[in-house]
Structure formats: structure tokens, C-alpha cells
Amino acid sequence: INTPLHDVACLGKISEKKIVLDPPDNDCTYRVKCFAKVLSNPIDGNGSKNMCTCEPKGSFQLSKGKTAEIIVQFQLFNAGKRTILINMVDQDTHRLIRTWILSVQIHLPEITKEYNINVLVGRKQPVKLPFTNRTCEKKVLEISSSNEIIAIDDCGELDLNGGETLYHRFQILVDEENMAMSDTEGIVDAFLFTRDIFTKAEECFLIRLHVQP
């Protein structure tokens, strides 16, 4: 059975979709496992970091009179419509029991700040960007990027005391494929995301790369 599902999510943000599973009609107990993957899209390119998993990760039982649920967790890094395929497989017979097709509309996040950086195509370039804690409380920021154009140095984590500004190092590399995926000639956009591990507050920074041959 192919069941269509729909959701809306923000680019770069970890989102969840709950699927309630009806119990089987017979008296049998089934040992099943669910698998999820993001279907490829030409505009994602090789540098896409799209992520998709199912909870529970291992096998679980379906039996008469008992409902169960799975949670599909996903993080998508390209705006527009994306499709996630979820399959449920009988672990004993290896038979495909059910399929869900989840269509997700990804919208752009609110941009905290924009950085314009000049780079040369095909040449790795080190960059330092500032991050400021505007509160009085200590922050520990987890930093991630939208794709492999921006590689994060060190551990991708930044400790900031209240009112403090620190710089974090990145490596930027734009190749010909990245240029071909761009909507605007000579400009490639990427995003940096920060997440406070204490408050879970998130911010998004637009990294606009002006690429020269």
C-alpha cells in the first residue's frame, strides 16, 4: 500500500513526522522494521547533506489490538519540494508490507545575518566569521553547514560567555558543479546554522559567495 503524506519544514532544521500504525487484522504478530530515505533531486548536487532516519531504529512488533507509531526525523538543505520514501519490511519474510511517500515543502529560514565573500572557483579558501552572544548567559553553539561547500574546522562547537564575540574557522571550496547548480551566474549561496545546546535556540546565516574564475 502506498500512502501519501504531506508536511512543511524549514531548511536546515531537524523536523519530525509521526506515523500511527494500525494493528493487524489477524492474530499474528509481525516483527517489522522501517527504513527511510530522501529521494534524489537534481538540484541537490553531490554536496547535499540531507538526513533522514526512523525511530525506532531497530525492529519492533505489530500485533492485534495494539497500535504503534514510528517517527520519521529529517533535515533537508534545499528549498522547494522534497520526497521521502518510508518502507516497512517484515524482518522474518523480508516482504515489503507498506510504503509511505512523504512530500515535504521546504521553506527558507529567517536569516540572522548575511556575509558576502569573494572566492576563486576550485580553490580552497580559509575564512573566519564572528559569532556573538548577545545574552548574559553562557552559550554553547553547535555549528553546521548546508552543504560541503563550507567545511567546519575544529569540532563545530563554540563556547561563548555572555556578551562575548569569538571567531570560528571555515574552509570554503566552490567547484564547477556548484556553479552549475546556482540560479545566479557568479553567485553561490550556502547557509550556516547555529543551535544553542541549552536553550535549543537556532539561527541561520546566509553565506553569499561571489565566485571568480
Side-chain angles (χ1 to χ4, degrees):
I1 302 175
N2 293 337
T3 304
L5 302 170
H6 300 276
D7 204 353
V8 176
C10 183
L11 184 145
K13 185 175 182 178
I14 297 175
S15 303
E16 293 182 347
K17 180 71 173 181
K18 181 189 295 186
I19 301 176
V20 178
L21 308 176
D22 295 326
D25 296 330
N26 54 38
D27 293 328
C28 296
T29 296
Y30 299 91
R31 189 169 63 94
V32 300
K33 186 175 181 180
C34 290
F35 303 86
K37 69 174 182 177
V38 182
L39 298 185
S40 61
N41 188 303
I43 72 168
D44 289 342
N46 292 333
S48 174
K49 297 171 67 175
N50 292 333
M51 178 276 293
C52 186
T53 60
C54 280
E55 290 288 348
K57 290 184 172 65
S59 59
F60 59 95
Q61 289 187 342
L62 287 180
S63 55
K64 186 176 181 180
K66 294 182 179 180
T67 58
E69 67 180 33
I70 60 172
I71 296 176
V72 182
Q73 190 177 76
F74 53 92
Q75 187 178 25
L76 305 175
F77 290 99
N78 293 91
K81 186 179 179 181
R82 294 293 176 272
T83 302
I84 297 173
L85 182 68
I86 305 116
N87 289 326
M88 179 187 290
V89 177
D90 188 314
Q91 292 293 89
D92 297 314
T93 65
H94 304 292
R95 182 173 61 90
L96 179 64
I97 298 177
R98 191 164 183 178
T99 295
W100 294 267
I101 299 174
L102 173 58
S103 296
V104 185
Q105 188 67 37
I106 304 298
H107 61 84
L108 291 175
E110 181 179 346
I111 305 299
T112 301
K113 190 171 183 178
E114 177 181 328
Y115 293 99
N116 287 271
I117 301 172
N118 296 320
V119 297
L120 296 174
V121 65
R123 183 177 298 181
K124 185 178 290 187
Q125 178 172 321
V127 173
K128 284 186 178 181
L129 296 177
F131 294 87
T132 301
N133 181 359
R134 298 179 181 84
T135 71
C136 298
E137 304 293 331
K138 180 179 178 179
K139 283 187 176 183
V140 178
L141 299 180
E142 296 175 328
I143 305 174
S144 60
S145 63
S146 59
N147 55 44
E148 295 175 356
I149 293 174
I150 305 177
I152 302 171
D153 288 357
D154 302 324
C155 63
E157 200 169 270
L158 199 60
D159 290 9
L160 289 168
N161 293 318
E164 185 178 21
T165 296
L166 291 177
Y167 286 78
H168 200 82
R169 294 189 301 270
F170 304 90
Q171 299 285 338
I172 295 177
L173 177 61
V174 179
D175 58 22
E176 295 290 349
E177 182 180 358
N178 303 137
M179 294 296 296
M181 298 292 177
S182 175
D183 294 330
T184 306
E185 185 176 355
I187 295 178
V188 175
D189 287 341
F191 298 91
L192 283 176
F193 304 94
T194 64
R195 183 173 184 266
D196 186 342
I197 67 171
F198 300 121
T199 66
K200 311 305 180 187
E202 297 175 325
E203 290 188 287
C204 176
F205 301 85
L206 171 60
I207 311 301
R208 177 149 288 172
L209 304 172
H210 300 266
V211 187
Q212 302 172 5

